Amino acid sequence: MEVAVAVLTGLYFAVSIYLMLSQHIIRILLGTVTLSTGANLTIFAMGRITREVPPIIPDGQYLPAEGAANALPQALVLTAIVIAFSLFAFLLVLVMRSYQELGTDDTEAMRDAEPRGEPLPPLGY
């Protein structure tokens, strides 16, 4: 199971890099979401994926049973999901607002700071 999750994680990272290299902001946004999903899967896989033994310490022992899943990466992934969702919501509003203002989602067309045809700023003083 861990090999399949490792391959899936690599696929998520490859897709996210491909999407983030695009010129369209919507694809960059989706690349950011898939990057956070790949990072969550990486953290989750580091805590051993198992269903057999719950991470509960029995009475009279100081350690969980052998082969138990680690609960810390699961808690970290839960926190990362909330943070990734809030980042996605913020970026979605930012993309929608920029599309309303500029009328395009192409990053090459969004050149308000450096319009085409204008002279370059001074490169030295």
Side-chain angles (χ1 to χ4, degrees):
M1 184 65 158
E2 290 180 2
V3 174
V5 172
V7 170
L8 184 65
T9 302
L11 185 66
Y12 269 110
F13 279 118
V15 168
S16 66
I17 290 171
Y18 174 75
L19 287 172
M20 291 177 75
L21 291 175
S22 175
Q23 289 184 352
H24 299 283
I25 292 188
I26 298 295
R27 290 182 184 169
I28 295 170
L29 176 65
L30 292 175
T32 305
V33 171
T34 55
L35 181 70
S36 67
T37 304
N40 289 343
L41 277 175
T42 302
I43 295 171
F44 190 67
M46 289 185 344
R48 292 186 307 267
I49 300 171
T50 180
R51 301 182 322 181
E52 305 303 322
V53 182
I56 298 173
I57 301 174
D59 287 336
Q61 293 185 359
Y62 295 105
L63 297 173
E66 185 68 31
N70 193 355
L72 182 63
Q74 294 174 5
L76 290 174
V77 166
L78 238 107
T79 306
I81 289 171
V82 173
I83 293 170
F85 180 74
S86 63
L87 178 68
F88 171 70
F90 172 72
L91 290 177
L92 184 64
V93 170
L94 191 64
V95 165
M96 288 175 50
R97 186 69 181 131
S98 66
Y99 182 77
Q100 288 174 351
E101 281 293 316
L102 300 173
T104 184
D105 70 336
D106 188 9
T107 56
E108 288 296 319
M110 297 179 177
R111 298 182 62 90
D112 286 344
E114 299 174 6
R116 292 185 190 267
E118 294 288 322
L120 291 174
L123 300 176
Y125 294 101

